[in-house]
């Protein structure tokens, strides 16, 4: 047993309260090195009477490690615990101090979860677990009111460029809510809608005003109310890392320089401010002089932005915020942001834009979730680009799931493309079967899936600005096959809770293979998903305990023989089989 590989800490994703009564424990061991792990757990004040061994399950694995997990429900909300590691006859008891060949005589040197204090529990909005998001780039979704069009607006459907306009607005969204309802969408994420100079609106001029090309406050209220009537939640985009160069405090700074009362609202390295050799003399988003970075440690800036966060929840009844460039803003600001937002609406969804491992933001004091780009990368690597095999894909997914508490994984924002990436169909080089296979994994994976507007009707496009083309509303030019596929896929996710919050287990993910099998299981159902990520027909075989199965899409039945379930799949085919009760 390689003890050097064993890892646990009584915090973060290794030991946390899942709810007011339940503690989750996790431990890491070298892959395939340990046959079983148990948690020895009890109350420190009545150790002899309360101590028990709780078997741990192998939650996930990656290329190096196995990750084990168990649930404990301590009757008095406090816990002393250690671990028993076994490999055949070899046994070790792990304490906070050491590995022992015999059980510790007292609990004094074991790990401890002192007490489940309700205020410390990482609580996420329950509705997100059941949400299917749809991302709307307002300028390109629909032009519902041409009277709002900015000067120089082009005819709908032209070639998207970084600085052109096609007149999309909030009325256009209101006009097409039937499309979203029929698709099965129950949550919308809007990219920024506040007053700004660009078509993307990430250069905010006024955080308290809707951009006139999109409408006004009354129209937004109308859109949100109409969405809520349909059971659709609404998420707005907050750009608090930086403002635009037409933001009033920055205009004052540009005019008055070092004498401006707003000079400490920004991070100035040199006066007078300017750009030398492409580098601004003030901090910005990237090196973009149009987007000066805000000093969120400044009390006035903090007060202003937190007022903004509260204002739109209270005035327009929005359901949460997506936070742009969230990892470049200080943690203390986000802690205060969470307190303000959750006080205004306790079940508001706080989603950070972070492209990498995000544990520091997912401890219950800042975000509910992040945009899950590690998931995106893993899915594209396997299903689209073919640069990893099934084993590599399962390892990448296992690693990602091991990093966060379960409640964070349950509301992770799982996307395959966005306004910042090439579109999924383009990444698939027009191969709809590949696109469908990737989407089927996305919709049968823990977390909330998000569709980038137009993917469901076959929009294509490369890197920004190509991915931001106008939505196609001519039914004759829409891909009706894709549209029907997404409707059916979303309906399945809504129908089966196991596909949303059931336990994920990889059943087959072998080295060098393009075939994948996994299960999603809860108290209601067990569903096995089999995927053939190959250009050739193939037969997949997995070990199962149940004998009778039904395809949840076709209704066709299948039988396992001698504990093996075999299914023939076409190229890029997928079967979803539910165990019959």
């Amino acid at each position: 047993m390689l003890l050097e590989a064993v890892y646990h800490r009584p915090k973060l994703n290794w030991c946390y309260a899942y709810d007011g009564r339940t503690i989750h424990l996790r431990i890491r061991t070298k892959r395939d090195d340990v046959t079983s792990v148990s948690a020895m757990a009890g109350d420190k004040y009545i150790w002899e009477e309360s101590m028990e061994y709780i078997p741990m399950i192998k939650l996930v694995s990656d290329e190096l490690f196995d990750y084990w997990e168990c649930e404990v429900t301590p009757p008095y909300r406090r816990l002393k615990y250690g671990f028993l590691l076994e490999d055949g006859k070899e046994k070790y008891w792990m304490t906070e101090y050491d590995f022992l060949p015999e059980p510790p005589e007292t609990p004094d040197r074991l790990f401890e979860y002192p007490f489940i204090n309700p205020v410390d529990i990482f609580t996420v909005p329950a509705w997100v677990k059941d949400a299917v998001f749809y991302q709307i780039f307002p300028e390109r979704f629909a032009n519902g009111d041409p009277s709002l069009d900015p000067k120089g607006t082009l005819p709908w459907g032209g070639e998207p460029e970084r600085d052109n306009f096609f007149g999309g607005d909030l009325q256009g969204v209101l006009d097409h809510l039937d499309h979203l309802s029929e698709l099965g969408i129950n949550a919308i994420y809007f990219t920024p809608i506040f007053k700004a100079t660009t078509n993307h609106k990430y250069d905010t001029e006024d955080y308290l005003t809707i951009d006139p090309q999109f409408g006004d406050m009354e129209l937004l209220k109308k859109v949100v109310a109409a969405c809520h009537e349909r059971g659709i939640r609404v998420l707005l985009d907050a750009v608090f890392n930086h403002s635009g160069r037409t933001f009033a405090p920055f205009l004052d700074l540009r005019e008055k320089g070092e004498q401006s009362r707003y000079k400490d609202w920004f991070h100035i390295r040199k006066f007078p401010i300017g750009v030398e050799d492409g580098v601004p003399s003030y901090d910005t988003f990237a090196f973009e002089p149009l987007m000066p970075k805000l000093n969120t440690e400044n009390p006035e800036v903090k007060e202003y932005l937190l007022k903004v966060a509260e204002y739109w929840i209270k005035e327009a009844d929005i359901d949460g915020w997506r936070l742009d460039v969230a990892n470049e803003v200080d943690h203390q600001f986000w802690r205060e942001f969470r307190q303000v937002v959750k006080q205004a609406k306790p079940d508001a969804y706080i989603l950070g834009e972070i492209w990498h491992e995000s544990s520091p933001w997912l401890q219950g004091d800042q975000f509910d979730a992040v945009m899950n780009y590690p998931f995106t990368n893993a899915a594209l690597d396997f299903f689209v680009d073919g640069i990893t095999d099934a084993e590599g894909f399962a390892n990448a997914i296992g690693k990602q799931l091991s990093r966060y508490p379960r409640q964070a994984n349950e509301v992770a924002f799982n996307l395959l493309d966005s306004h910042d990436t090439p579109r999924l169909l383009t990444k698939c080089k027009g191969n709809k079967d590949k696109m469908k296979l990737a989407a089927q994994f996305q919709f049968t994976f823990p977390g909330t899936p998000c569709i980038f507007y137009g993917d469901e009707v076959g929009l294509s496009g490369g890197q920004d600005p190509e991915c931001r083309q106008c939505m196609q509303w001519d039914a004759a030019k829409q891909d009706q096959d894709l549209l029907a596929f997404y409707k059916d896929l979303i309906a399945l996710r809504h129908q089966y809770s196991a596909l949303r919050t059931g336990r994920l287990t990889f059943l087959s993910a072998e080295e060098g293979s393009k075939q994948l099998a996994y299960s999603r299981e809860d108290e209601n159902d067990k569903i096995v998903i089999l995927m053939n990520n190959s250009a050739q027909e193939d037969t997949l075989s997995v070990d199962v305990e149940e004998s009778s199965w039904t395809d949840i899409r076709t209704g066709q039945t299948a039988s396992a023989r001698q504990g093996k379930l075999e299914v023939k799949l076409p190229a890029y085919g997928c079967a979803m089989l539910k165990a019959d009760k």
Side-chain angles (χ1 to χ4, degrees):
M1 195 182 300
L2 189 67
L3 298 181
E4 294 94 324
V6 178
Y7 184 84
H8 174 81
R9 284 292 180 272
K11 59 181 180 179
L12 305 176
N13 53 313
W14 303 100
C15 173
Y16 60 91
Y18 179 67
D19 55 33
R21 305 298 309 179
T22 309
I23 294 171
H24 287 180
L25 301 178
R26 292 181 186 169
I27 188 172
R28 187 193 78 187
T29 62
K30 180 179 181 289
R31 183 162 183 158
D32 299 327
D33 187 49
V34 174
T35 54
S36 68
V37 182
S38 301
M40 53 180 303
D43 190 294
K44 65 181 178 181
Y45 297 112
I46 48 171
W47 179 252
E48 296 296 333
E49 299 91 335
S50 63
M51 194 280 284
E52 61 178 329
Y53 284 93
I54 301 169
M56 304 185 76
I57 62 167
K58 193 181 294 185
L59 177 68
V60 289
S61 301
D62 61 27
E63 64 272 23
L64 297 177
F65 304 109
D66 293 324
Y67 300 88
W68 305 76
E69 182 184 79
C70 71
E71 290 188 351
V72 187
T73 307
Y76 303 104
R77 292 195 284 170
R78 56 188 179 235
L79 193 68
K80 271 283 192 177
Y81 66 94
F83 300 97
L84 170 59
L85 305 151
E86 299 184 73
D87 179 31
K89 294 182 179 180
E90 192 176 11
K91 293 184 179 182
Y92 285 100
W93 281 261
M94 181 186 183
T95 72
E96 192 171 61
Y97 287 71
D98 209 346
F99 293 95
L100 304 173
E102 301 290 339
E105 294 182 1
T106 70
D108 297 353
R109 297 194 176 187
L110 294 179
F111 298 99
E112 184 169 356
Y113 192 102
F115 196 82
I116 303 177
N117 291 295
V119 72
D120 294 329
I121 300 170
F122 183 4
T123 303
V124 298
W127 63 264
V128 180
K129 301 174 188 178
D130 300 321
V132 174
F133 269 90
Y134 189 88
Q135 181 189 353
I136 291 178
F137 192 89
E139 217 283 318
R140 304 292 160 79
F141 187 65
N143 188 337
D145 185 354
S147 71
L148 301 178
D149 291 357
K151 185 177 179 180
T153 294
L154 300 174
W156 193 258
E159 188 70 24
E161 296 177 2
R162 292 193 181 277
D163 56 359
N164 59 6
F165 293 86
F166 295 97
D169 50 40
L170 290 174
Q171 185 62 49
V173 175
L174 195 60
D175 293 343
H176 290 284
L177 287 181
D178 281 349
H179 173 76
L180 300 187
S181 292
E182 290 165 8
L183 188 57
I185 298 302
N186 55 10
I188 297 172
Y189 150 44
F190 287 103
T191 54
I193 61 173
F194 306 130
K195 189 175 182 183
T197 65
T198 58
N199 54 35
H200 55 72
K201 309 301 178 189
Y202 281 99
D203 60 323
T204 313
E205 178 177 307
D206 187 344
Y207 289 84
L208 295 170
T209 303
I210 303 296
D211 194 289
Q213 86 164 90
F214 293 156
D216 56 21
M217 170 63 94
E218 291 310 308
L219 182 54
L220 176 64
K221 287 182 177 180
K222 194 174 178 181
V223 169
V224 174
C227 285
H228 286 173
E229 287 175 6
R230 296 166 179 262
I232 298 173
R233 309 272 184 156
V234 177
L235 202 68
L236 295 188
D237 206 323
V239 190
F240 290 169
N241 175 68
H242 55 271
S243 71
R245 69 173 178 177
T246 53
F247 182 47
F250 191 68
L251 289 176
D252 189 88
L253 175 67
R254 290 172 64 189
E255 177 189 347
K256 300 175 183 175
E258 209 163 354
Q259 307 310 312
S260 170
R261 70 173 295 268
Y262 296 104
K263 67 176 182 178
D264 292 330
W265 279 47
F266 305 92
H267 299 269
I268 312 301
R269 293 193 302 274
K270 179 182 175 183
F271 286 101
I273 63 171
V275 180
E276 296 180 9
D277 299 325
V279 178
S281 62
Y282 48 95
D283 290 343
T284 61
F285 167 68
F287 293 102
E288 177 50 71
L290 295 175
M291 299 177 177
K293 182 175 175 62
L294 290 162
N295 179 10
T296 48
E297 294 181 45
N298 179 288
E300 290 183 347
V301 174
K302 186 181 294 186
E303 181 182 9
Y304 174 76
L305 295 179
L306 294 180
K307 173 187 172 186
V308 170
E310 181 183 59
Y311 176 79
W312 293 102
I313 293 174
K314 288 189 172 181
E315 290 296 316
D317 198 24
I318 66 166
D319 301 292
W321 289 102
R322 182 265 192 185
L323 308 170
D324 191 56
V325 201
N327 57 328
E328 296 187 23
V329 177
D330 66 274
H331 290 278
Q332 183 57 31
F333 176 83
W334 291 134
R335 292 185 184 102
E336 295 181 40
F337 174 89
R338 183 180 184 88
Q339 292 176 351
V340 168
V341 167
K342 296 293 185 177
Q343 186 170 8
K345 181 173 277 195
D347 69 345
Y349 183 41
I350 301 176
L351 172 67
E353 184 209 13
I354 300 179
W355 290 59
H356 51 79
E357 204 278 345
S358 305
S359 292
W361 294 269
L362 296 174
Q363 300 306 316
D365 60 343
Q366 295 172 66
F367 308 156
D368 294 314
V370 293
M371 300 183 78
N372 198 357
Y373 280 105
F375 160 87
T376 311
N377 295 336
L380 296 180
D381 286 351
F382 178 62
F383 291 108
V384 178
D385 298 324
I387 61 177
T388 58
D389 58 14
E391 182 185 54
F393 173 67
N395 287 341
I397 291 296
K399 184 179 297 182
Q400 181 61 21
L401 289 173
S402 75
R403 287 169 166 170
Y404 305 145
R406 185 187 299 177
Q407 52 264 56
N409 286 325
E410 288 176 338
V411 297
F413 193 85
N414 298 328
L415 65 164
L416 293 173
D417 56 358
S418 74
H419 67 290
D420 286 324
T421 73
R423 283 189 174 267
L424 180 58
L425 186 57
T426 298
K427 285 285 291 181
C428 293
K429 297 180 180 178
N431 187 326
K432 288 197 302 177
D433 292 331
K434 273 192 171 187
M435 178 182 181
K436 289 178 180 179
L437 196 62
Q440 285 169 113
F441 185 80
Q442 178 191 23
F443 276 79
T444 57
F445 185 71
T448 180
C450 180
I451 299 171
F452 187 32
Y453 79 95
D455 279 357
E456 77 280 11
V457 296
L459 285 197
S460 58
Q463 193 67 44
D464 160 35
E466 293 178 20
C467 60
R468 302 175 181 182
Q469 64 176 284
C470 296
M471 177 65 176
Q472 179 58 259
W473 290 113
D474 182 349
K477 295 180 180 179
Q478 293 179 339
D479 189 319
Q480 295 298 322
D481 171 69
L482 263 183
L483 183 57
F485 163 80
Y486 271 101
K487 286 181 179 179
D488 291 344
L489 187 59
I490 293 169
L492 286 175
R493 185 174 175 90
H494 287 321
Q495 182 177 353
Y496 295 101
S497 60
L499 297 180
R500 303 191 301 273
T501 56
R503 183 187 169 205
L504 171 75
T505 305
F506 283 104
L507 304 176
S508 178
E510 298 178 3
E511 182 181 3
S513 175
K514 293 185 178 181
Q515 283 68 47
L516 184 73
Y518 55 99
S519 65
R520 299 298 309 279
E521 184 174 6
D522 67 3
E523 63 276 7
N524 298 314
D525 294 297
K526 178 180 180 179
I527 300 173
V528 169
I529 298 103
L530 304 104
M531 294 184 162
N532 176 24
N533 188 31
S534 164
Q536 287 80 39
E537 179 185 275
D538 205 347
T539 298
L540 278 69
S541 174
V542 292
D543 295 330
V544 293
E545 295 178 358
E546 300 82 0
S547 59
S548 180
W549 298 80
T550 302
D551 191 305
I552 61 175
R553 286 188 285 201
T554 66
Q556 292 181 329
T557 59
S559 297
R561 296 182 180 178
Q562 296 181 331
K564 285 195 176 293
L565 181 64
E566 285 194 356
V567 178
K568 182 180 287 187
L569 291 176
Y572 305 111
C574 174
M576 300 183 190
L577 303 175
K578 181 172 73 70
D580 295 336
K581 295 180 180 178

